[in-house]
Amino acid sequence: MAKITYIEAGRQALAEEMRRDPLVWAVGEDLGRGGVFGQYKGLTDEFGSDRISDAPISESCIMGAAVGAAMMGTRPVVEMRFSDFALCAVDELVNQAAKARYMFGGQTRVPLVVREPIGMWRSSAAQHSQSLEAWYAHIPGLVVAVPATPADNYALLKAAIRCDDPVVYMEHKGLWPLEGDAPEEGVVAEFGKARIAREGADLTIVSWSASVHTSMEAAATLAEAGIEAEVIDLRTLWPWDREAVFASVEKTGRLMVVHEAVSVAGFGAEIAATVAESLHKALKSPVKRVAAPRIPISYAPVLEDEARVTAAAVVAAAQAMIAN
Amino acid sequence: MAKITYIEAGRQALAEEMRRDPLVWAVGEDLGRGGVFGQYKGLTDEFGSDRISDAPISESCIMGAAVGAAMMGTRPVVEMRFSDFALCAVDELVNQAAKARYMFGGQTRVPLVVREPIGMWRSSAAQHSQSLEAWYAHIPGLVVAVPATPADNYALLKAAIRCDDPVVYMEHKGLWPLEGDAPEEGVVAEFGKARIAREGADLTIVSWSASVHTSMEAAATLAEAGIEAEVIDLRTLWPWDREAVFASVEKTGRLMVVHEAVSVAGFGAEIAATVAESLHKALKSPVKRVAAPRIPISYAPVLEDEARVTAAAVVAAAQAMIAN
Amino acid sequence: MSADQSQRASNLNVGRCLDQYREMSRIREFELAAIRSAEEKLVLGAIHPSIGQEAVAVGVCGNLRREDIILSTHRGHGHTMAKGADPLAMMRELFGRAGGYSQGKGGSMHIADFKVGMLGANGVVSANINIAAGAAHAIKLKGGNEVVVCFFGDGATNRGPFLEGLNWAGVFGLPILFVCEDNGFAATTRTKAMTYGAGPAARAAAIGVKTTEVDGNDLLAVDEIARDLIEEARRGEPRFLLAKTYRLTGHTSADAAPYRPKEEVEERWLNDPIVNLRRALSAAGASDADLDAIAAKAKQEMTEAYETAKGTDWPAKELAYTDVQDIGDPRKGAF
Amino acid sequence: MSADQSQRASNLNVGRCLDQYREMSRIREFELAAIRSAEEKLVLGAIHPSIGQEAVAVGVCGNLRREDIILSTHRGHGHTMAKGADPLAMMRELFGRAGGYSQGKGGSMHIADFKVGMLGANGVVSANINIAAGAAHAIKLKGGNEVVVCFFGDGATNRGPFLEGLNWAGVFGLPILFVCEDNGFAATTRTKAMTYGAGPAARAAAIGVKTTEVDGNDLLAVDEIARDLIEEARRGEPRFLLAKTYRLTGHTSADAAPYRPKEEVEERWLNDPIVNLRRALSAAGASDADLDAIAAKAKQEMTEAYETAKGTDWPAKELAYTDVQDIGDPRKGAF
Ligand SMILES: Cc1ncc(C[n+]2csc(CCOP(=O)(O)OP(=O)(O)O)c2C)c(N)n1
Ligand SMILES: Cc1ncc(C[n+]2csc(CCOP(=O)(O)OP(=O)(O)O)c2C)c(N)n1
Ligand SMILES: [Mg+2]
Ligand SMILES: [Mg+2]
């Protein structure tokens, strides 16, 4: 089967959507030179600098202008470079984009995609490494997508661009070079449908973004020890696939949520709490979160690793659950 | 016992701390005229306009300047007017204030208090009613205080001003006129210590801010039906008083979390998940969250009320738990 | 009066000015009815009356086409009506009733009428500047011929979006006119006290946006200058207009504005833009009878809007869950 | 050279200039060592060299007292050293080793040395402007006599904090000098292409902050002008200095900068600020031998810093949990 990288899958999805719909355009700093990670390489040649638009260093205007441009019927794809910088544009995203349709009684839509690369990526330290997906899942009006694979970075980005809601689209910087099976051409993902990355009967591991790969690595190790973990890649956090998670936990009787973000008030809490509320009796052992301590992310690898959820930590937690 | 209002308690706490420590100062729009809710009334007369400082409409500079002023040894109390407007200053709070001490290897402290009035208050609609306390609890480096009573608005604000960490201090707009017992003069709260607002053996209701009063009202109704709810007012969300909550749940076997914020990814998820993880076997019925649907807050009362957690909803949920 | 004022007065188009007088009177009467309604607790949230600033709204919007776009602020009633919105649907929104522009979801600070190109008031100061720049950006991308007008106050020029949005409009050559209503106040604060340097016009000019100042209480001046600026902006050259005016009421209808001397306000009332226009119209031959009739009709229209709104039902509570978003069930996980 | 250039050259203070030549050489050698180390993967994260901009850092900081304050950006190595920081502690931070300024927690973009008044580089463009205004605000509140210098790039002048921070400094009369290093680029973008109007200086002046422009590659000019501006700022009159310069390397050490013509860069190398100063010093009688010795010593110092940093241990991993905050256990709820 043909292979493709995560970054290239996103690039192709955007290019195809821009060919399909002349109202789709992308805007962000340095896009004319391909974007900071090369996600937009070559697109200016095909689409021109109006549709692959550079921007001043004006995050709040990039986001705010996208809101206005979306309300006027275009479909802007905003590049925030690092999700950390999107913190310079929170009013525009949360007070404006997310609420405009509602506040104006349904008179408008804000079909806007905000690309916010998340996660640890080399030694990038506290202002270039955050994963704040839980924030946006908490905000009515927003959709949150967190692709883990090249195929999903293609299918979910296409879905995000076609969606009439504002979508916070969080690619993981550590996954840019990841190779995986190429998606079926033209496929568009359905939001809120999880992917069973691996089947198993002993426990359910729910994850998303880069942590899916950590979970898969752990599942392989666990399998050697005779523990069959079912790994669920949520793909989107709002909406999130309650049905898939419930079905799996009813089967396994055990839920673990694994994510890179800080554990305290992370989205793992939402999933763990929901399962604990709804499937209490089906649980053979307590729900469990495996996520980061409440510390900023460091620069030196030895320190950065303290904030990193490893396959070993997932394995240890899983074995403790099974023993329990 | 002497009575005091929530708003006046905060005013007195600030005044006393400013008398005690000449490095404490407050800054925000319209403070010279007492602030938008009158929280600063009269303080300019005593402390002058340098220490009760007006500000341009520049939220990001108000917050950012406070970070610099705090690193230089003063203790700024920043007034954001409505927590919604603090979304114009998230980089300053989350990327700068919360991380400076850590990023610089402990060379500095950011002893800054950000007052962010939260919650529904008359028909204020989607941009003047949010409760985003869960966001800040998720951010390493920040302390989050959510006073429910006049006495706590005095003791917690004093603690926040004396704290060397940046504190997100969330008063509830609906509580300004609330009358309650005056605090013992000079008392300073300890962060992370909950208050048992009411004792009971049948279930534990954990809450904070205005929802504590909703919970108390519900508890009174439940008592008439012979159900004794223990109501815990957390007072701070980071840190939150795990020990007090655990002790109560071990006694009652039932946990309900009640808050005004959106349920999805709200801080109730953190508490419910933590209890489910740690006290699974002690639970007689599943943990339960009673919080808002994932909708923006409306203007018309009939619509606004759909986002409001009522005592009736708490009572119904509690009865269902007991029946379970 | 100045030379070009008398100039304008002399070649004033009576028909057009009577229309503008009518519009200004309607806005004034709407605000007065809204203030009364707030006292009666029929208006549920805060309202920010535009009394004294009607000439800016009418003078600017009178030069726009229906398909042109405006964005406004918390003080948006006048702009909204001047662009053609229905006062009854506005009043219903202020009262939180069915049939309000936002179905009762928004209130005064979130009124919009997309049918007439009014893309919304805004509860966040300065936030509409970037959104307006984006609306103009979309027009350029689509090759349209519409123009965007963004109204904001003097206080808004101390927030970042003022710099970012004007720069954006210039860099991309967008069809937009920025109109700063300089009424001297930012809530209870005199804007000048918190604004360094020469102020909004100097800042806009330095960002590169061609800037003009006008007496915002002189409808004839605003009308004439706005006409030119709007056509220049339509060609993709952003423009900035500073309209000097005064907020004759408090910041909100509940604000008695004790922070400014009575004499100051009384003096400003002598420069009421509606009285100014009426004086010019009389000089141009309009009869008091006609002018009184227009004012009376405006008052009656707003009284009817008030009565009708008052008699309108609350919105159905199911509406709380509609128009949140297409994806995901907002009820999930609640209660 | 221009009249006042020759003027300056003629009454140049050789001793002072030799010190400045030494500082500029040390910064240059530090950057070169850092770039080499990045190629060797000893530097772990991105670094933004200041090669070509040394005259601004040295010319400005040479007029500051130890207790004075500076804030810098992602391109902060030069400012930091010019304020008196230790290159070994800096190199260790770049290498993520024990004894680095941030204990290995920050890296290049988060170096600070509070002992010498260096309040931090910053990973967020323009964010240091508001923080610097606040630092100056604290000095005023405490009645201190220190001054704050805030360095930032030309690209930073398109973000809101540029407007908000300068206005703030003016409104409150704060002791601060804003220094904009206009190197023509914002990452891979020519800043002018995304900046409308006359640029940073015009904007600063319109906000009301007295503005001066200088050739940022002429140490003598920067030194002379900065001296005056800093003393004016110290009196509570904010000042703005636009230093025209050029980024001789890529945006980061990994950026080959294919987006600009080789010829452009080669031509700019002819205006290397260190060569410029050396020429002036030679003209004033400094011997090549002395100048070579200074350069050689600088190179040796940085080679030693490189070697020592390379041989330094990683930080103890427990440090990941320290200095998060006083309140609350960061380990709670993790793993
Ligand atoms: C970002 C933000 N900060 C503060 C406020 C509170 N506020 C509402 S209106 C206002 C004054 C605005 O002054 P100006 O822009 O001059 O408009 P005017 O009220 O005079 O029409 C303020 C401070 C807000 N709504 N948004
Ligand atoms: C708010 C924000 N947006 C974008 C970036 C990414 N970025 C880092 S440096 C840079 C260019 C800055 O240009 P300038 O201010 O001129 O400084 P220079 O690099 O030229 O020294 C950009 C866009 C950032 N760090 N912060
Ligand atoms: Mg005003
Ligand atoms: Mg630059």
Side-chain angles (χ1 to χ4, degrees), chain A residues 30 33 54-59 81 88 122-123 125 127-128 263 288-289 291 293-295 298-303 306 308, chain D residues 44-45 93-94 96 103-107 110 122-123 158-159 186-189 194 315-317 320-321 325 330 333-335:
Chain A
D30 301 306
R33 267 73 51 220
D54 278 330
I57 306 176
S58 304
E59 279 70 17
R81 206 174 177 115
C88 301
R122 294 192 0 252
S123 290
Q127 290 178 335
H128 291 74
S263 179
K288 171 74 182 166
R289 291 173 290 165
R294 197 171 176 278
I295 57 176
S298 277
Y299 173 84
V302 292
L303 303 179
E306 289 297 302
R308 205 181 288 275
Chain D
L44 305 163
E93 192 57 37
L94 268 56
Q103 305 183 299
K105 292 177 177 180
H110 307 299
N122 206 304
N158 284 326
R159 273 204 68 222
T188 70
T189 303
M194 289 291 125
K317 66 184 175 48
Y321 301 94
Q325 60 191 111
F335 302 120

Side-chain angles (χ1 to χ4, degrees), chain B residues 29-31 33 54-59 81 84-85 88 122-128 263-264 288-303 305-310 313, chain C residues 43-46 93-96 103-110 122-125 155-156 158-159 186-189 194 251 259 314-317 319-321 324-325 330-335:
Chain B
E29 299 146 16
D30 301 307
L31 295 202
R33 266 72 53 221
D54 278 330
I57 305 175
S58 304
E59 279 70 16
R81 207 173 177 114
D84 313 72
F85 305 156
C88 300
R122 294 193 359 251
S123 289
S124 300
Q127 291 179 336
H128 291 74
S263 179
V264 176
K288 171 74 181 165
R289 291 173 289 164
V290 180
R294 198 171 176 277
I295 57 175
I297 290 161
S298 278
Y299 173 83
V302 291
L303 303 178
D305 287 347
E306 289 297 303
R308 206 181 287 275
V309 173
T310 60
Chain C
V43 171
L44 305 163
E93 191 58 38
L94 268 54
F95 290 16
Q103 305 182 299
K105 292 177 176 178
S108 170
M109 282 192 270
H110 307 299
N122 207 303
V124 180
V125 167
N158 283 327
R159 272 204 68 223
T188 71
T189 302
M194 289 291 123
H251 174 55
Y259 44 84
W314 298 113
K317 64 186 178 47
L319 285 174
Y321 301 95
V324 177
Q325 60 192 110
R331 282 190 173 81
K332 274 277 171 63
F335 303 121

Side-chain angles (χ1 to χ4, degrees), chain C residues 5-331:
Chain C
Q5 269 180 320
S6 47
Q7 170 68 292
R8 276 192 215 95
S10 59
N11 46 34
L12 133 182
N13 170 332
V14 175
R16 179 183 176 85
C17 285
L18 284 172
D19 290 341
Q20 291 164 317
Y21 182 73
R22 178 176 301 105
E23 279 312 309
M24 288 169 68
S25 305
R26 291 176 72 239
I27 293 168
R28 175 69 54 93
E29 291 299 336
F30 179 89
E31 298 288 25
L32 291 170
I35 292 168
R36 277 193 308 274
S37 309
E39 287 156 2
E40 297 172 32
K41 303 262 180 287
L42 285 163
V43 171
L44 305 163
I47 54 169
H48 305 82
S50 65
I51 290 176
Q53 305 181 196
E54 298 90 345
V56 185
V58 172
V60 170
C61 293
N63 291 289
L64 294 176
R65 308 173 186 159
R66 184 182 170 93
E67 63 270 23
D68 290 333
I69 302 297
I70 69 166
L71 287 92
S72 181
T73 68
H74 56 283
R75 201 176 303 285
H77 301 160
H79 311 132
T80 307
M81 284 181 64
K83 191 64 174 68
D86 168 20
L88 174 56
M90 290 171 65
M91 196 66 80
R92 281 178 164 146
E93 191 58 38
L94 268 54
F95 290 16
R97 307 300 173 102
Y101 268 115
S102 301
Q103 305 182 299
K105 292 177 176 178
S108 170
M109 282 192 270
H110 307 299
I111 289 178
D113 183 353
F114 280 67
K115 290 185 310 306
V116 300
M118 198 296 182
L119 265 52
N122 207 303
V124 180
V125 167
S126 205
N128 65 336
I129 297 177
N130 289 336
I131 298 171
H137 206 133
I139 289 167
K140 186 191 180 196
L141 287 170
K142 296 200 283 184
N145 188 36
E146 305 90 346
V147 66
V148 175
V149 171
C150 181
F151 293 96
F152 50 86
D154 44 334
T157 65
N158 283 327
R159 272 204 68 223
F162 177 76
L163 168 62
E164 297 190 11
L166 267 66
N167 180 65
W168 189 280
V171 164
F172 293 104
L174 304 180
I176 183 166
L177 170 63
F178 298 98
V179 178
C180 179
E181 295 182 307
D182 183 358
N183 62 10
F185 288 88
T188 71
T189 302
R190 290 195 191 263
T191 310
K192 273 202 164 41
M194 289 291 123
T195 306
Y196 198 53
R203 293 175 182 191
I207 295 167
V209 178
K210 195 171 162 223
T211 295
T212 310
E213 293 196 30
V214 66
D215 174 354
N217 285 32
D218 177 349
L219 181 278
L220 298 175
V222 176
D223 180 36
E224 181 177 305
I225 290 166
R227 184 180 312 126
D228 299 342
L229 296 181
I230 284 167
E231 290 323 308
E232 290 165 30
R234 205 182 286 283
R235 293 196 297 267
E237 299 163 24
R239 292 290 184 261
F240 179 88
L241 177 63
L242 183 75
K244 295 256 181 206
T245 181
Y246 189 81
R247 193 192 73 201
L248 288 171
T249 68
H251 174 55
T252 65
S253 65
D255 171 26
Y259 44 84
R260 58 188 193 184
K262 248 170 100 287
E263 305 65 37
E264 172 182 323
V265 182
E266 282 161 2
E267 187 206 314
R268 295 302 198 131
W269 267 106
L270 302 178
N271 188 30
D272 179 341
I274 298 185
V275 174
N276 291 346
L277 180 60
R278 183 176 173 126
R279 200 178 294 115
L281 274 162
S282 304
S287 75
D288 282 351
D290 292 354
L291 294 166
D292 290 341
I294 288 173
K297 193 153 173 308
K299 186 184 182 69
Q300 191 197 345
E301 180 190 5
M302 300 312 154
T303 308
E304 285 167 17
Y306 161 91
E307 292 296 347
T308 312
K310 193 172 167 179
T312 307
D313 293 340
W314 298 113
K317 64 186 178 47
E318 292 64 37
L319 285 174
Y321 301 95
T322 61
D323 283 314
V324 177
Q325 60 192 110
D326 291 337
I327 308 293
D329 174 0
R331 282 190 173 81

Side-chain angles (χ1 to χ4, degrees), chain B:
Chain B
M1 186 166 188
K3 297 282 175 191
I4 190 169
T5 61
Y6 186 87
I7 191 169
E8 174 61 13
R11 204 186 67 87
Q12 283 185 17
L14 175 60
E16 288 175 17
E17 290 305 300
M18 288 183 72
R19 277 175 214 128
R20 187 186 58 78
D21 181 350
L23 292 173
V24 177
W25 60 295
V27 60
E29 299 146 16
D30 301 307
L31 295 202
R33 266 72 53 221
V36 65
F37 297 105
Q39 315 98 296
Y40 301 83
K41 202 170 259 100
L43 296 184
T44 307
D45 305 338
E46 177 175 359
F47 301 105
S49 57
D50 282 354
R51 291 182 67 197
I52 297 292
S53 180
D54 278 330
I57 305 175
S58 304
E59 279 70 16
S60 69
C61 194
I62 295 171
M63 190 83 77
V67 174
M71 294 198 308
M72 288 289 287
T74 68
R75 307 186 80 84
V77 175
V78 159
E79 177 56 60
M80 279 284 132
R81 207 173 177 114
F82 285 78
S83 66
D84 313 72
F85 305 156
L87 300 190
C88 300
V90 175
D91 169 65
E92 291 73 12
L93 179 60
V94 171
N95 284 336
Q96 311 297 336
K99 296 173 171 53
R101 175 179 173 179
Y102 192 87
M103 288 189 303
F104 299 141
Q107 294 185 65
T108 188
R109 298 278 184 282
V110 185
L112 140 74
V113 179
V114 192
R115 293 177 84 171
E116 297 195 9
I118 58 172
M120 283 186 263
W121 171 73
R122 294 193 359 251
S123 289
S124 300
Q127 291 179 336
H128 291 74
S129 304
Q130 293 170 90
S131 297
L132 297 179
E133 63 272 18
W135 276 27
Y136 304 112
H138 187 49
I139 302 300
L142 298 179
V143 170
V144 180
V146 283
T149 65
D152 274 349
N153 202 25
Y154 174 90
L156 283 170
L157 185 53
K158 285 169 94 66
I161 292 170
R162 297 186 190 192
C163 179
D164 278 345
D165 299 328
V167 178
V168 181
Y169 194 83
M170 300 178 135
E171 289 153 295
H172 194 290
K173 300 188 288 291
L175 297 181
W176 293 130
L178 178 72
E179 272 225 337
D181 294 341
E184 166 198 339
E185 196 189 325
V187 63
V188 178
E190 182 181 348
F191 289 141
K193 286 267 162 288
R195 176 178 67 94
I196 308 297
R198 174 188 179 115
E199 295 200 351
D202 300 331
L203 85 153
T204 301
I205 300 179
V206 174
S207 193
W208 54 88
S209 191
S211 297
V212 169
H213 305 287
T214 312
S215 303
M216 289 297 282
E217 185 188 336
T221 309
L222 287 165
E224 293 163 12
I227 298 173
E228 288 305 330
E230 180 147 291
V231 178
I232 298 181
D233 171 4
L234 281 184
R235 306 162 90 213
T236 58
L237 299 186
W238 188 265
W240 66 280
D241 194 342
R242 219 173 294 250
E243 292 62 31
V245 171
F246 283 14
S248 178
V249 174
E250 275 160 357
K251 177 177 74 177
T252 65
R254 293 189 171 88
L255 171 77
M256 178 189 297
V257 190
V258 178
H259 62 68
E260 177 174 330
V262 165
S263 179
V264 176
F267 199 71
E270 176 62 29
I271 295 162
T274 303
V275 167
E277 286 175 320
S278 310
L279 299 178
H280 182 68
K281 296 210 162 55
L283 292 173
K284 296 181 193 147
S285 62
V287 295
K288 171 74 181 165
R289 291 173 289 164
V290 180
R294 198 171 176 277
I295 57 175
I297 290 161
S298 278
Y299 173 83
V302 291
L303 303 178
E304 192 186 51
D305 287 347
E306 289 297 303
R308 206 181 287 275
V309 173
T310 60
V314 174
V315 168
Q319 284 167 330
M321 279 178 85
I322 300 292
N324 179 308

